[in-house]
Amino acid sequence: MTKHEKSPRPDAAALALTGICMAHALRRATRVVSREYDAALARHGLTIGQFTLLAHIQRMTNPSVQAVADAMFMDQSAMSRGLRPLEKAGLVILRMDPADKRRRFLSVSDAGRIAFDAAAGDWQKVQSRLRDNLGSAEFDMLRKTLLTFERAEAE
Amino acid sequence: MTKHEKSPRPDAAALALTGICMAHALRRATRVVSREYDAALARHGLTIGQFTLLAHIQRMTNPSVQAVADAMFMDQSAMSRGLRPLEKAGLVILRMDPADKRRRFLSVSDAGRIAFDAAAGDWQKVQSRLRDNLGSAEFDMLRKTLLTFERAEAE
DNA sequence: GGCTATTAAATGCATATGCATTTAATATAT
DNA sequence: ATATATTAAATGCATATGCATTTAATAGCC
């Protein structure tokens, strides 16, 4: 039997996996949903990731890069880079901690607050639409369940 | 009042958003969960994204790039690039369609099937652990709900 | 004080992802 | 048949994300 032809093998694992893998379900839903929020926020020059990042920094008090990364269950290096566009756009301010020059204090600038507030209306539209589509009870349950996934602790 | 000081403004929108945004809940959970699958599959040289991609191609019959992208609710260009590492590793084969030279047929190579089968055991371990942690009923419900998010049709 | 361990953030490297555009090739209208 | 429209995949550009490592600076130990 030569290679790469018929391949009489409807692999059970492969068949099942496409339907049952939790990572796939999550990633796929994230792609679909992120695209919708991104489309709505595009006219404000923000992605949904940047929008939620602004929200997090706003509700924290002069957090460090690591602190925000922790709050969002994100890697420090990813956070470090994710801040770059917001910093360049002047929406977030990074100041060196005078007491510990390794650390930087993050804060949302006035421009950042303005941009956030302007985008919030469009965020709400998408959020409401999704909630209506899914049903409020199921929507809230889903969101709650998703937030139960905790970052695995490094032993 | 000078800029960037106290900022007496516990913005209601920002406060609420960090907790209720569906995109954030999804993205955060995806980060946490993907890291776990990735860690388990790393010794097979696969990411969870590549693993599920292999699963999808396997269960399709000589699909085109676009067809696989559609099946995974992914952009064609992202799929095009996502195939690269698998192709370089010889796990996926791209052949030109002789009847339409724009199109390429995708298929999983023997090496690809072997790698997939080898990784499947470790995939199962993570999947089972998560299911135990969340409870099988809630796990299955979550997965099912996530798969209800459909790609928004371009009108 | 001075050497070492630790820690915060940044970087190198790789994959993931989408939108707009380009390239190549097929399909269509005239 | 020929010019045009359409279509499949690839590319340019930008953000997103993680791991390992580097860089810079503080903390600890002797």
Side-chain angles (χ1 to χ4, degrees):
Chain A
M1 163 165 55
T2 52
K3 295 160 181 244
H4 314 137
E5 56 180 45
K6 290 299 157 47
S7 168
R9 179 187 177 263
D11 184 81
L15 288 172
L17 272 173
T18 60
I20 65 177
C21 179
M22 177 58 81
H24 174 239
L26 277 167
R27 294 164 67 89
R28 189 182 108 169
T30 295
R31 284 193 293 268
V32 170
V33 171
S34 290
R35 267 187 298 232
E36 297 196 36
Y37 284 89
D38 278 344
L41 300 184
R43 72 192 190 83
H44 301 286
L46 291 173
T47 64
I48 183 58
Q50 296 169 342
F51 182 74
T52 52
L53 176 49
L54 282 177
H56 275 81
I57 299 177
Q58 271 184 82
R59 59 172 281 172
M60 298 174 84
T61 305
N62 281 330
S64 65
V65 172
Q66 181 68 64
V68 181
D70 285 346
M72 296 182 70
F73 292 11
M74 190 179 296
D75 191 82
Q76 169 267 313
S77 66
M79 178 57 63
S80 185
R81 269 188 271 250
L83 288 166
R84 222 71 67 85
L86 290 175
E87 191 188 5
K88 286 209 166 127
L91 306 183
V92 162
I93 296 172
L94 284 147
R95 277 166 302 167
M96 184 179 66
D97 176 353
D100 184 342
K101 281 174 282 194
R102 289 171 302 183
R103 186 171 300 156
R104 334 236 147 194
F105 288 142
L106 301 183
S107 57
V108 176
S109 71
D110 292 341
R113 277 184 275 273
I114 291 170
F116 179 84
D117 290 347
D122 285 307
W123 169 84
Q124 182 67 64
K125 281 181 199 154
V126 180
Q127 177 92 353
S128 297
R129 177 157 43 79
L130 290 178
R131 194 155 184 266
D132 287 346
N133 288 349
L134 201 56
S136 57
E138 184 141 11
F139 184 91
D140 293 344
M141 172 107 63
L142 170 61
R143 197 184 47 202
K144 188 176 161 212
T145 302
L146 288 171
L147 294 177
T148 65
F149 286 107
E150 297 287 328
R151 168 131 70 177
E153 293 305 326
E155 14 49 69
Chain B
M1 165 162 52
T2 53
K3 295 160 181 250
H4 314 138
E5 54 181 45
K6 289 299 156 45
S7 167
R9 177 182 178 266
D11 184 81
L15 288 173
L17 272 172
T18 58
I20 66 177
C21 178
M22 179 58 83
H24 174 239
L26 277 166
R27 294 164 68 88
R28 189 183 109 169
T30 295
R31 284 194 293 268
V32 170
V33 171
S34 289
R35 267 188 297 234
E36 296 196 37
Y37 284 89
D38 278 344
L41 299 183
R43 72 191 190 84
H44 301 285
L46 291 173
T47 64
I48 184 60
Q50 295 169 342
F51 182 74
T52 54
L53 175 50
L54 282 177
H56 275 82
I57 299 176
Q58 271 185 82
R59 57 173 281 171
M60 298 174 84
T61 305
N62 281 332
S64 65
V65 172
Q66 181 69 63
V68 181
D70 286 345
M72 295 182 71
F73 293 9
M74 191 179 295
D75 190 83
Q76 169 268 313
S77 66
M79 178 57 64
S80 185
R81 270 189 268 252
L83 287 165
R84 223 69 70 81
L86 290 175
E87 191 188 7
K88 286 208 167 129
L91 307 183
V92 162
I93 297 171
L94 283 147
R95 273 164 305 166
M96 184 178 66
D97 176 352
D100 183 343
K101 281 174 281 194
R102 292 171 299 183
R103 187 169 302 156
R104 327 228 154 203
F105 288 142
L106 303 183
S107 58
V108 175
S109 70
D110 292 341
R113 278 185 275 273
I114 291 170
F116 179 84
D117 290 346
D122 285 307
W123 169 83
Q124 182 67 62
K125 280 181 199 155
V126 179
Q127 177 93 351
S128 298
R129 177 156 44 79
L130 290 177
R131 194 156 184 265
D132 287 346
N133 288 348
L134 202 58
S136 57
E138 184 141 12
F139 183 92
D140 293 344
M141 171 107 64
L142 170 61
R143 197 184 48 203
K144 189 177 161 210
T145 302
L146 289 171
L147 294 177
T148 64
F149 287 106
E150 295 287 328
R151 167 131 71 177
E153 293 304 325
E155 13 48 73

